[in-house]
Amino acid sequence: NPIVEQYYITRYIDLINSSFSCVYMNQLLDSMIGEIQPEMQGQINKWGGTYTGWLGKVQELKDFIDLRCAAIAAGLVDCYDLDGPYVTSFVVSPVGAGQIKVNSTWAPANPWSTSYFGGIVTLLDQNTNPGFVFDHWEATNGPLDSLITNNQNSISVTGPGTITAVYKAIST
């Protein structure tokens, strides 16, 4: 089923740009280390081992995360015949006028710079904040699949670039 395949692949891409990203995973590990580290000497005293040995295992975890992130991207390219990933920035203009949804993920920042793949359609949606009206999409990294004035759109990313949701203030 092509619809299920599209959703599966794009959802996986969304996750590696959020919860499974190298940045997020390393920040999560660092926060866990911050909680555990003060207790380590007591654990070592009671159960054995060394602080240096523990730090070595922590480094192994960090190295695994970094290697896994690279392997995931390469696996997506090989398994699903994608290309990239390409650095893509998602921008709301003017700031505060709305939000952009990419596939299944609302952009967590404005601008949001992350990586998306070519060889698959990336879905775009937007939400308008009070006082504004959606005007159009702008894209520098591939043609949009529908009229630029459609609230919902899609793009086949062809390289690095920027996708912007442009809004206009409502005149009162």
Side-chain angles (χ1 to χ4, degrees):
N1 182 333
I3 295 170
V4 172
E5 181 181 36
Q6 161 78 19
Y7 179 78
Y8 174 81
I9 296 169
T10 57
R11 179 67 178 139
Y12 203 87
I13 293 168
D14 292 343
L15 288 171
I16 65 173
N17 281 316
S18 57
S19 301
F20 297 158
S21 74
C22 288
V23 171
Y24 178 80
M25 296 288 287
N26 279 308
Q27 287 173 346
L28 179 61
L29 179 58
D30 287 342
S31 72
M32 294 165 79
I33 291 166
E35 291 289 321
I36 296 169
Q37 195 166 21
E39 306 298 325
M40 279 313 298
Q41 193 57 55
Q43 292 296 308
I44 290 164
N45 293 344
K46 184 171 184 166
W47 303 105
T50 66
Y51 189 74
T52 302
W54 179 72
L55 288 176
K57 295 296 182 186
V58 167
Q59 189 57 52
E60 284 180 29
L61 282 171
K62 289 182 178 195
D63 293 344
F64 176 81
I65 289 170
D66 292 338
L67 290 172
R68 182 72 179 140
C69 289
I72 288 173
L76 279 169
V77 169
D78 292 342
C79 188
Y80 300 109
D81 199 29
L82 304 180
D83 52 270
Y86 302 112
V87 174
T88 305
S89 293
F90 296 92
V91 177
V92 170
S93 177
V95 172
Q99 298 86 32
I100 296 176
K101 185 178 183 183
V102 185
N103 296 319
S104 63
T105 301
W106 289 98
N110 182 34
W112 181 41
S113 185
T114 190
S115 295
Y116 272 84
F117 291 80
I120 191 162
V121 173
T122 298
L123 304 175
L124 303 171
D125 199 355
Q126 62 80 38
N127 184 44
T128 306
N129 286 341
F132 293 91
V133 62
F134 176 75
D135 190 58
H136 67 278
W137 293 99
E138 295 176 357
T140 64
N141 56 343
L144 292 166
D145 296 328
S146 299
L147 294 173
I148 64 171
T149 54
N150 288 357
N151 289 349
Q152 295 180 331
N153 217 314
S154 58
I155 186 169
S156 296
V157 175
T158 58
T162 302
I163 298 169
T164 305
V166 179
Y167 299 83
K168 288 186 178 177
I170 295 173
S171 300
T172 56

